[in-house]
């Protein structure tokens, strides 16, 4: 418990010290260092560009020996993100976790996942099937539509 | 055999018995490793006790020397090592040298006519020094620590100052012993200095898991110890180091640069054998134990940063960056482990899953090492069957032997 708390405080300091990136804004709840919120900017050249996506991060007590739980709060149309719950299918959040990862690097990995989808292990079958069938145009337009619908800059609190 | 066991008082420089001591005064002899609780009849650790459970052979124990009455105490004069007031009454020196102070239960009571016997007050004409006799005399343990209340009237010899350890423990009449002591002191000092340098160089190495520095950094205070600003720069090195550390920590707490571990036991690195990434021992052990995660062993056994697999970790109080140092550290660690009895093997009563490749000692209670296990085969109608429980290590270690046996 103390180890995870100390480490989270260090990560918080690190996040504050680094100049604020425009594509990632990461901060904990005011009352609880174990609950974090991240705002990601959709990567360029993807249907998610110009969108802002909210991530809810819940850190377990045994962190960093176990991975944090990360899910999308904003609705995303992506093969590896559950459309309803926002659950993310990412190996480093499951069995390939390493304590050397930080919350910041996890967010970077999520951004990388948005531009590099893995349609072979889909949580969103519709998106996965579209990509696997090679219908890139259909996938792009659907994802773009949901980005415009749910993840507009104006919706940022 | 007590005369082959190093006297513990002599080792700390304070044996009063001199040559009459039943224990060895030779630095080459080992200290006693016999469990004192076992000698008293019961040791709570039983077979697991780290000390020897053997009774010393009665015949070889040095018989106590003849009892000495207090009248015979050689309170005679002692030549002061400082060269002042070397009192040596002719009466005492001319008589045969008194028997050595070797009786157990020796009482330091002084005779009533102490002053008369000594003849204090008379100025001696000529300080005659019997070197052979004085070489047998023990040193005053009070003076050795720095202050003897009796000063020049002390019946014991006062040693000379050892410049390395700061104790007054060099015997003025045993030059070869003094030389040995000085040599040991110098070696210890060099080792301490080397450790200190290593500790300083590893102060800013950060753990990849908790992101803290395993060792307390000293924040500009480095190099202070031993300089003019340091109390007790010599001699009481322990006090100095402690005070220094407390001071350095307090200093750094305020400027927030020390993120050393709270507990001293935690200030250790766990060094991975296969890669050069730094972790503190607690963190990397927790990760490799894998109790809190459902990750595969493949993942937990590898370095959290580069995912290179290491088969074991080596605890170290300082960080090693050079490959040779690391090699030496690993070697040293394995040698140390090989001295500890394996708890699975349990002196031959158990069976160790690691077999011949176990790091710990496989020896029975008499100290005989385990015989190398070879596979025993027997021909049956449907091929060859193995008669013993099989371990993977027996295939790896004794592969050649096993194949030879099969072909024979």
């Amino acid at each position: 418990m103390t180890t995870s708390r100390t480490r989270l405080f260090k990560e918080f300091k690190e996040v504050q010290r680094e100049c604020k990136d425009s594509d990632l804004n990461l901060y904990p709840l005011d009352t609880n260092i174990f609950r974090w919120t991240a705002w990601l900017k959709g990567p360029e050249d993807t249907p998610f560009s110009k969108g802002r996506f909210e991530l809810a991060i819940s850190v377990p007590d045994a962190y960093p020996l176990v991975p944090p739980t990360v899910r999308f709060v904003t609705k995303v149309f992506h093969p590896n993100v559950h459309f309803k719950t926002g659950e993310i299918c990412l190996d480093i959040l499951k069995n390939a976790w390493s304590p050397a990862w930080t919350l910041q690097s996890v967010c970077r990995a999520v951004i990388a996942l948005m531009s590099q989808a893995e349609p072979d292990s889909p949580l969103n079958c519709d998106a996965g099937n579209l990509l696997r069938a090679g219908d890139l145009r259909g996938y792009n337009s659907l994802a773009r539509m949901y980005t415009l619908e749910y993840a507009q800059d104006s919706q940022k609190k | 055999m007590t005369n082959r066991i190093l006297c513990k008082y002599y080792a700390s420089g304070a044996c009063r018995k001199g040559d009459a001591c039943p224990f060895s005064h030779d630095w080459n002899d080992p200290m006693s490793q016999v469990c004192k609780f076992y000698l008293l009849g019961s040791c709570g650790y039983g077979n697991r006790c780290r000390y020897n459970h053997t009774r010393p052979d009665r015949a070889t124990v040095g018989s106590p020397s003849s009892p000495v009455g207090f009248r015979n105490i050689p309170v005679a004069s002692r030549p002061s090592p400082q060269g002042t007031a070397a009192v040596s009454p002719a009466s005492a020196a001319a008589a045969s040298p008194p028997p050595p102070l070797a009786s157990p239960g020796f009482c330091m009571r002084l005779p009533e006519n102490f002053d008369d016997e000594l003849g204090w007050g008379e100025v001696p004409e000529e300080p005659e020094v019997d070197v052979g006799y004085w070489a047998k005399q023990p040193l005053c343990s009070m003076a050795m620590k720095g202050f003897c209340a009796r000063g020049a009237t002390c019946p014991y010899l006062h040693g000379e100052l050892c410049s390395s350890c700061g104790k007054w423990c060099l015997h003025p009449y045993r030059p070869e012993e003094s030389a040995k002591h000085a040599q040991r002191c110098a070696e210890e000092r060099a080792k301490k200095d080397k450790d200190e340098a290593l500790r300083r160089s590893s102060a800013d190495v950060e753990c990849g898991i908790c992101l803290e520095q395993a060792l307390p950094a000293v924040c500009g205070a480095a190099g202070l110890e031993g300089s003019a600003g340091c109390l007790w720069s010599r001699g009481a090195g322990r006090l100095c180091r402690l005070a220094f550390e407390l001071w350095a920590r307090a200093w750094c707490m305020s400027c927030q640069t020390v993120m050393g571990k709270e507990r001293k036991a935690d200030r250790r690195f766990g060094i991975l054998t296969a890669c050069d990434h730094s972790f503190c021992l607690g963190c990397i052990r927790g990760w490799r134990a894998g109790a809190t995660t459902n990750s595969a062993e493949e993942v937990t056994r590898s370095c959290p940063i580069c995912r290179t697999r290491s088969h074991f970790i080596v605890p170290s109080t300082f960080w090693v960056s050079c490959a040779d140092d690391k090699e030496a550290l690993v070697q040293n660690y394995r040698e140390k482990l090989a001295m500890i009895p394996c708890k699975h093997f349990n002196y031959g009563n158990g069976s160790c899953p690691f077999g011949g490749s176990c790091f710990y000692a496989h020896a029975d209670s008499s100290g005989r090492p385990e015989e190398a296990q070879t596979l025993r085969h027997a021909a049956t109608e449907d091929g060859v069957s193995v008669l013993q429980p099989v371990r993977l290590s027996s295939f790896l270690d004794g592969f050649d032997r096993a194949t030879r046996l099969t072909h024979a």
Side-chain angles (χ1 to χ4, degrees):
Chain A
M1 186 76 169
T2 40
T3 317
S4 52
R5 189 181 295 274
T6 327
R7 159 134 174 182
L8 285 171
F9 273 117
K10 281 194 85 85
E11 285 191 32
F12 182 44
K13 248 182 215 163
E14 190 70 15
V15 167
Q16 278 184 323
R17 199 165 56 86
E18 281 184 16
C19 52
K20 282 270 168 25
D21 294 325
S22 55
D23 59 340
L24 174 62
N25 187 8
L26 181 67
Y27 53 91
L29 284 193
D30 288 341
T31 52
N32 190 353
I33 190 82
F34 290 93
R35 307 252 165 210
W36 291 58
T37 307
W39 285 93
L40 315 181
K41 196 174 160 199
E44 295 297 317
D45 303 329
T46 64
F48 309 104
S49 60
K50 297 203 179 102
R52 289 190 74 89
F53 301 88
E54 187 184 356
L55 288 184
I57 303 172
S58 163
V59 184
D61 288 346
Y63 181 82
L65 298 185
V66 292
T69 320
V70 185
R71 64 176 189 89
F72 271 98
V73 176
T74 316
K75 280 207 186 308
V76 189
F77 185 77
H78 186 279
N80 305 114
V81 181
H82 197 285
F83 192 67
K84 283 190 177 142
T85 60
E87 189 192 337
I88 304 173
C89 178
L90 188 57
D91 60 345
I92 62 146
L93 292 177
K94 302 276 169 9
N95 49 14
W97 167 254
S98 148
W101 289 88
T102 62
L103 294 183
Q104 202 179 5
S105 56
V106 164
C107 291
R108 297 248 167 256
V110 173
I111 295 178
L113 181 75
M114 290 171 87
S115 49
Q116 291 269 323
E118 281 289 337
D120 290 332
S121 59
L123 270 176
N124 185 339
C125 293
D126 297 336
N129 285 339
L130 277 175
L131 272 186
R132 273 192 288 189
D135 189 358
L136 209 59
R137 193 170 162 193
Y139 165 75
N140 280 349
S141 48
L142 260 178
R144 180 93 197 113
M145 187 197 84
Y146 280 111
T147 307
L148 287 175
E149 174 114 19
Y150 294 110
Q152 276 310 289
D153 265 353
S154 56
Q155 288 184 350
K156 194 198 164 192
K157 290 161 206 163
Chain B
M1 236 174 119
T2 49
N3 56 4
R4 304 304 320 149
I5 294 171
L6 181 62
C7 170
K8 62 178 179 178
Y9 298 102
Y10 180 79
S12 58
C15 182
R16 288 185 158 189
K17 297 190 180 177
D19 280 357
C21 178
F23 289 90
S24 164
H25 280 192
D26 185 350
W27 284 109
N28 298 326
D29 288 331
M31 294 267 249
S32 169
Q33 292 293 316
V34 178
C35 172
K36 62 180 177 180
F37 296 101
Y38 176 76
L39 291 182
L40 288 175
S42 72
C43 170
Y45 288 102
N47 277 350
R48 292 175 297 117
C49 182
R50 67 170 72 178
Y51 295 100
N52 293 342
H53 278 190
T54 50
R55 289 190 182 278
D57 192 356
R58 254 173 208 288
T60 57
V61 177
S63 58
S65 358
S66 58
V68 183
F70 70 84
R71 282 253 163 231
N72 292 333
I73 299 168
V75 284
S77 58
R78 55 167 194 89
S80 148
Q82 286 82 13
T84 60
V87 194
S88 175
S91 58
S96 63
L101 316 168
S103 162
F106 166 72
C107 173
M108 249 316 290
R109 216 143 43 89
L110 294 173
E112 278 100 43
N113 54 350
F114 178 68
D115 281 355
D116 299 354
E117 266 190 22
L118 283 178
W120 295 127
E122 304 167 15
V123 179
E125 309 85 38
E126 183 65 19
E128 286 175 27
V129 178
D130 181 355
V131 174
Y133 165 65
W134 285 112
K136 288 178 187 161
Q137 298 309 303
L139 290 179
C140 169
S141 59
M142 305 283 190
M144 198 177 291
K145 286 179 184 160
F147 177 70
C148 174
R150 293 191 235 190
T153 64
C154 179
Y156 296 103
L157 275 175
H158 283 188
E160 286 162 7
L161 179 68
C162 168
S163 58
S164 326
C165 69
K167 282 184 184 171
W168 297 80
C169 59
L170 297 183
H171 200 292
Y173 296 103
R174 297 180 200 158
E176 69 285 350
E177 185 191 308
S178 304
K180 264 186 206 166
H181 173 90
Q183 192 190 345
R184 270 177 68 88
C185 265
E187 279 167 13
E188 274 174 19
R189 183 96 198 160
K191 192 169 169 292
K192 262 186 198 168
D193 287 351
K194 195 182 159 206
D195 285 355
E196 191 61 28
L198 279 169
R199 205 182 70 85
R200 287 210 177 113
S201 68
S202 42
D204 54 349
V205 179
E206 198 181 78
C207 168
I209 295 179
C210 62
L211 307 181
E212 286 176 26
Q213 283 146 3
L215 302 183
V218 280
C219 178
L224 187 100
E225 187 192 5
S227 71
C230 182
L231 288 171
W232 304 75
S233 62
R234 273 201 175 152
R238 215 179 312 157
L239 174 67
C240 166
R241 202 174 299 271
L242 181 69
F244 167 72
E245 194 171 312
L246 285 175
W247 176 80
R249 280 181 73 80
W251 160 291
C252 300
M253 283 297 179
S254 54
C255 71
Q256 294 292 316
T257 51
V258 166
M259 283 296 163
K261 292 278 181 185
E262 203 61 40
R263 286 172 56 219
K264 195 162 185 186
D266 291 337
R267 290 184 216 148
R268 279 189 294 172
F269 292 99
I271 293 183
L272 293 170
T273 48
C275 70
D276 286 334
H277 292 113
S278 53
F279 302 98
C280 48
L281 189 61
C283 286
I284 192 70
R285 275 198 176 147
W287 170 243
R288 287 171 71 91
T292 48
T293 164
N294 53 2
S295 307
E297 198 190 340
E298 194 71 28
V299 174
T300 53
R301 291 280 155 171
S302 54
C303 167
I305 293 175
C306 65
R307 305 239 191 241
T308 317
R309 194 166 170 162
S310 294
H311 294 290
F312 60 98
I313 48 175
V314 183
S316 167
T317 47
F318 48 81
W319 177 246
V320 286
S321 41
C322 157
D324 288 347
D325 285 353
K326 190 166 168 176
E327 188 69 32
L329 183 82
V330 173
Q331 192 63 31
N332 191 14
Y333 175 63
R334 291 198 59 160
E335 275 167 16
K336 263 187 190 163
L337 288 194
M339 314 265 283
I340 304 171
C342 173
K343 67 175 179 181
H344 295 297
F345 186 72
N346 194 15
Y347 299 100
N349 301 326
S351 111
C352 173
F354 302 100
S357 49
C358 181
F359 283 2
Y360 292 92
H362 282 193
D364 59 19
S365 42
S366 62
R368 201 180 45 197
E370 181 192 28
E371 288 170 21
Q373 298 259 336
T374 52
L375 289 177
R376 287 191 11 233
H377 302 259
T380 51
E381 54 265 24
D382 53 342
V384 174
S385 72
V386 181
L387 294 177
Q388 276 173 309
V390 187
R391 294 171 182 148
L392 179 61
S393 62
S394 21
F395 284 104
L396 300 177
D397 293 344
F399 185 70
D400 294 337
R401 231 181 335 219
T403 43
R404 248 184 285 127
L405 270 175
T406 321
H407 292 309

